[in-house]
Amino acid sequence: MNKPITCDIFCTVIDNFGDIGVCWRLAKQLTHEHGMIVRLWVDDLLSFCRLHPIICPDMPIQDCFGVEIRHWSSSCFEIPFLNVEPSQLVIEAFACELPEHYVAEMVAQEYKSIWINLEYLSAEEWVAGCHCLPSPHPTLPLTKYFFFPGFAPQTGGLLLEQDLIARRDAFQSEPHTQAAFWRALGVPLPKSDEMRVSMFCYENIALPELFCTWSESNFPVLCLVSEGCVLSQVASFFGREHVEAGDTLQCGNLEVRVLPFIEQDRYDELMWACDINFVRGEDSFVRAQWAGKPFVWHIYPQQDCAHINKLSSFMELYCLGLQLDIAQVLNNLWEGWNIGNSADQAFFPSSKQAWKECLAHKYLWQRHSRDWSQRLSGNSLVLNLLNFVKKIDRIHSLECKSDI
Ligand code: TRH
């Protein structure tokens, strides 16, 4: 029998939860689906703990679901007794810098580790051309390879657990499971004519207008807002100084419930159970696509406005094959949510208008969401990564032979 492949994943939490969210999923998938021995190095256990509360923020080394979690503090590589031997596969997430000592060990060891830089997700066209490109180290005999997640077949694909779509389908077809889910969350079961929305976004000045639209709608809207930076806006919409997890607020036909941050797997279920999901960043954006439900993305805003191109590149792909008028109304809603409120208001239809037009195409939007998740599901990041690793491994073996 082949010996399991060892893997180190390095993650620095820049801000929020996306970096560790992605790394944790990757670590679990490599361990559970491919029998690999994975160590996940993360510099911020407190953020990790929010997604996965059984993580102990004070423990330098712990095992969680078969993954070894190591607190990556600047001092840990200086402690000689740790004696860290680099793994066969080394993944630095989002261009975080590997510890010098570790890189030196990679050079010194007999076998050659395969070094991957797992990049951020983007739907831009250039991604396919840069995926898998080598980047030789400027001074050391090491090569790192860029690995780009993406939506097109020539990219690295998306993280998707082998059984996720089947679990989603089972959940969505079992009313009892859904009822148990709502009960556990302390949220009443959906009313027959209600629209249930999950809301996870950055601060967004389009939010009050959307709330206002929902409050005036002719059916009940329950908006489940996740705890986070947007709560001050929620408070001011309802004329409160402060709101917190557990609060319920009402305005016309809009009910807002503030949810605590829930465990990552439960958050997937929340998206499976809602009619529409507002998501943000990278990881919740991908999970909303696997939910197979209509969603609206609040892209991570970048200072140089690079996010605007990223947003339109995604929309172009997402709307391919959709009737032009539907593509247009979806674009209006998404642009209004991301750009319209921070740029020239007059250029964009109001969120109210855009929302109404999207609702008019609700059934087509639902069908498209389902088809979209089906279409993407054939391009698994982990399978692509492991195929690439095999290819590099063969090249390394040939190089070794020619050295002899
Ligand atoms: O939190 P985000 O904004 O994270 C990131 C980071 O900002 C990162 O630096 C940036 O580069 C990246 O976005 C693009 O959004 P994201 O990516 O959706 O990550 C949120 C994670 O939190 C995701 O794994 C889902 C999880 N989550 C829960 O586990 N429970 C919850 O209740 C919620 C709302 C989210």
Side-chain angles (χ1 to χ4, degrees):
M1 216 176 79
N2 284 342
K3 271 196 9 201
I5 304 175
T6 56
C7 172
D8 276 312
I9 302 176
F10 289 88
C11 172
T12 51
V13 174
I14 307 290
D15 60 1
N16 305 330
F17 306 101
D19 307 294
I20 183 60
V22 167
C23 291
W24 176 228
R25 286 188 200 291
L26 175 64
K28 279 191 297 183
Q29 240 190 296
L30 293 175
T31 307
H32 301 159
E33 295 178 8
H34 300 279
M36 290 172 60
I37 298 177
V38 180
R39 268 187 308 216
L40 170 57
W41 299 86
V42 53
D43 65 347
D44 176 359
L45 289 174
L46 274 174
S47 295
F48 193 178
C49 190
R50 298 289 304 281
L51 310 182
H52 198 52
I54 67 169
I55 295 292
C56 173
D58 314 316
M59 268 169 84
I61 303 180
Q62 56 198 301
D63 179 278
C64 189
F65 293 164
V67 178
E68 184 179 315
I69 316 286
R70 295 233 186 173
H71 187 205
W72 179 9
S73 67
S74 53
S75 63
C76 70
F77 277 99
E78 285 146 27
I79 304 172
F81 63 80
L82 269 180
N83 199 14
V84 173
E85 201 182 298
S87 289
Q88 289 157 287
L89 173 60
V90 178
I91 301 175
E92 62 172 53
F94 314 122
C96 69
E97 213 175 305
L98 296 190
E100 248 175 64
H101 171 84
Y102 187 91
V103 175
E105 284 297 314
M106 279 165 79
V107 176
Q109 70 193 350
E110 250 176 55
Y111 61 89
K112 252 183 159 177
S113 296
I114 296 171
W115 183 1
I116 301 284
N117 172 20
L118 175 67
E119 276 291 347
Y120 284 112
L121 171 64
S122 170
E124 290 161 299
E125 251 180 59
W126 59 264
V127 164
C130 295
H131 176 53
C132 292
L133 284 186
S135 161
H137 195 282
T139 52
L140 299 171
L142 291 172
T143 298
K144 154 161 91 177
Y145 295 88
F146 290 103
F147 198 91
F148 280 89
F151 302 90
Q154 309 80 352
T155 67
L158 298 172
L159 280 174
L160 170 66
E161 298 83 1
Q162 276 166 6
D163 62 348
L164 187 85
I165 300 294
R167 284 194 285 118
R168 175 201 73 187
D169 288 347
F171 181 95
Q172 289 178 341
S173 62
E174 286 164 7
H176 290 310
T177 314
Q178 289 173 45
F181 169 76
W182 291 123
R183 269 197 299 276
L185 207 58
V187 173
L189 301 188
K191 302 178 192 122
S192 59
D193 58 343
E194 175 198 283
M195 171 164 278
R196 197 158 275 206
V197 181
S198 79
M199 175 67 68
F200 180 46
C201 62
Y202 306 110
E203 275 182 67
N204 188 326
I205 55 174
L207 186 79
E209 191 182 343
L210 200 58
F211 273 8
C212 200
T213 309
W214 290 343
S215 70
E216 291 164 2
S217 70
N218 50 11
F219 52 83
V221 177
L222 174 63
C223 178
L224 299 162
V225 179
S226 294
E227 220 177 4
C229 53
V230 79
L231 289 197
S232 56
Q233 283 195 286
V234 174
S236 79
F237 180 84
F238 286 95
R240 300 268 198 101
E241 279 209 347
H242 168 83
V243 293
E244 59 187 25
D247 285 351
T248 300
L249 308 131
Q250 188 83 38
C251 175
N253 245 339
L254 168 68
E255 180 178 319
V256 167
R257 283 179 176 252
V258 182
L259 294 185
F261 207 82
I262 53 180
E263 208 187 318
Q264 208 183 32
D265 289 344
R266 298 289 81 68
Y267 180 60
D268 270 337
E269 292 172 351
L270 178 70
M271 288 199 267
W272 299 347
C274 283
D275 300 301
I276 171 161
N277 298 300
F278 283 69
V279 287
R280 73 183 204 189
E282 174 161 332
D283 192 49
S284 57
F285 165 58
V286 171
R287 305 309 280 189
Q289 295 172 66
W290 298 139
K293 295 285 185 88
F295 70 99
V296 180
W297 182 28
H298 193 181
I299 191 168
Y300 185 79
Q302 287 172 277
Q303 259 172 359
D304 52 1
C305 283
H307 63 287
I308 307 294
N309 268 342
K310 289 187 182 161
L311 179 72
S312 38
S313 303
F314 177 75
M315 277 315 264
E316 226 169 273
L317 276 186
Y318 182 68
C319 292
L320 266 183
L322 268 181
Q323 272 171 236
L324 276 184
D325 54 337
I326 303 173
Q328 187 57 55
V329 298
L330 286 185
N331 263 294
N332 289 345
L333 182 67
W334 282 45
E335 284 182 345
W337 190 240
N338 282 281
I339 317 166
N341 45 60
S342 58
D344 180 6
Q345 277 279 2
F347 190 71
F348 295 97
S350 69
S351 301
K352 188 178 199 159
Q353 181 67 17
W355 172 255
K356 284 191 172 155
E357 286 172 351
C358 283
L359 266 196
H361 297 289
K362 186 170 87 180
Y363 296 110
L364 278 174
W365 193 10
Q366 283 166 347
R367 204 171 63 210
H368 179 65
S369 310
R370 204 79 187 171
D371 294 347
W372 175 253
S373 89
Q374 177 66 31
R375 206 181 314 160
L376 292 184
S377 63
N379 197 12
S380 154
L381 187 144
V382 161
L383 294 182
N384 292 334
L385 177 67
L386 294 182
N387 280 334
F388 181 65
V389 166
K390 269 191 210 144
K391 191 170 132 192
I392 301 300
D393 198 38
R394 273 198 299 273
I395 296 172
H396 282 183
S397 313
L398 289 175
E399 285 169 353
C400 272
K401 277 189 196 141
S402 65
D403 286 348
I404 299 170

